[in-house]
Amino acid sequence: LLQSVSGASERRQLEVIERAALDGAQTVRRVQEFTRLRQDEHFEPLDVQEVLQGVLELTRSAWEAESKRRGIALTAALDLRAMQLVAGNASELREVFTNLILNALDAMPWGGTLTLSSADADGEVCIRVTDTGVGMDAETRGRIFDPFFTTKPVKGTGLGLSVAYGIVARHHGRIEVESEPGRGRVFSVWLPSTLARQAKPDTAPGAQLPR
């Protein structure tokens, strides 16, 4: 229709319909990501340190802008100790940790500290996203990964954490959350490890996010 209509008003109305359809398709895709495990996924060895550092840089504008907008202090730190690689899709894992970081920022309305840490476990790499925010009660913890469940009625879709859950499951891993009201939260992601990598001098454990 857009190719055959010439009137400006008609084109604007068709563009609105097209945009709504594309947005709806994206919502359906996210629900499918939560419910479907693909067997034909192509994974490659990934350095978790690089993934996490990249995600913090990608989200830097979000938490810096939030600090200024709210007039609060939001800080971020890295504590990367994992020496093993994981098999995965870098783009999808970035989406997981981007969702966790943005969720953590929303959970710290009065400021706080966001920490990304990694460590080698028994045949796994454990990545933790920790915030010092308002925490969650038991009911919220039990539903936090459910599709469309959100504690942010104004801007939340309730899909970010459910999509993250689906991606981690597709990577043959698991994700859990520990939290109590007023005591912040810890999201832990375990991914199967593959090979060991060489330690990098510029990514020492406990390094602060570069400014």
Side-chain angles (χ1 to χ4, degrees):
L1 285 173
L2 280 170
Q3 293 174 357
S4 61
V5 170
S6 58
S9 176
E10 290 82 358
R11 286 192 65 83
R12 281 196 300 272
Q13 294 177 49
L14 286 172
E15 287 168 354
V16 169
I17 294 172
E18 180 184 45
R19 190 179 310 116
L22 292 173
D23 287 349
Q26 289 296 316
T27 299
V28 171
R29 181 188 67 81
R30 291 188 179 95
V31 174
Q32 289 174 330
E33 293 297 323
F34 175 74
T35 58
R36 179 181 62 195
L37 296 180
R38 295 200 300 264
Q39 301 301 320
D40 59 345
E41 192 71 66
H42 174 67
F43 289 157
E44 59 184 3
L46 298 174
D47 185 343
V48 169
Q49 285 194 179
E50 294 180 357
V51 173
L52 296 177
Q53 288 174 322
V55 169
L56 266 185
E57 284 299 323
L58 286 171
T59 57
R60 175 191 287 274
S61 60
W63 53 269
E64 284 188 343
E66 281 295 289
S67 296
K68 295 177 182 177
R69 185 179 69 83
R70 299 191 218 163
I72 58 177
L74 285 170
T75 59
L78 295 171
D79 183 14
L80 306 180
R81 302 172 185 269
M83 297 297 294
Q84 299 180 97
L85 303 178
V86 300
N89 179 299
S91 176
E92 291 191 352
L93 290 181
R94 281 194 294 269
E95 182 172 0
V96 168
F97 296 113
T98 295
N99 281 331
L100 292 179
I101 288 173
L102 295 180
N103 196 273
L105 296 179
D106 287 334
M108 297 187 287
W110 301 287
T113 300
L114 167 74
T115 303
L116 291 186
S117 61
S118 69
D120 293 326
D122 185 14
E124 297 176 306
V125 173
C126 179
I127 304 102
R128 288 190 168 93
V129 179
T130 304
D131 67 66
T132 58
V134 297
M136 295 182 290
D137 58 24
E139 180 181 0
T140 302
R141 286 198 311 272
R143 299 186 61 193
I144 195 68
F145 298 113
D146 290 353
F148 302 111
F149 175 75
T150 179
T151 58
K152 300 170 287 190
V154 176
K155 63 177 181 177
T157 64
L159 288 172
L161 292 179
S162 60
V163 168
Y165 184 97
I167 291 173
V168 172
R170 193 161 58 251
H171 281 71
H172 310 289
R174 65 191 190 279
I175 180 171
E176 298 174 358
V177 61
E178 301 171 56
S179 181
E180 292 182 17
R183 299 198 174 190
R185 305 173 310 169
V186 180
F187 282 91
S188 300
V189 177
W190 284 270
L191 297 171
S193 62
T194 56
L195 306 172
R197 60 162 173 77
Q198 296 294 320
K200 298 181 181 179
D202 59 337
T203 55
Q208 293 289 319
L209 181 67
R211 298 188 179 278

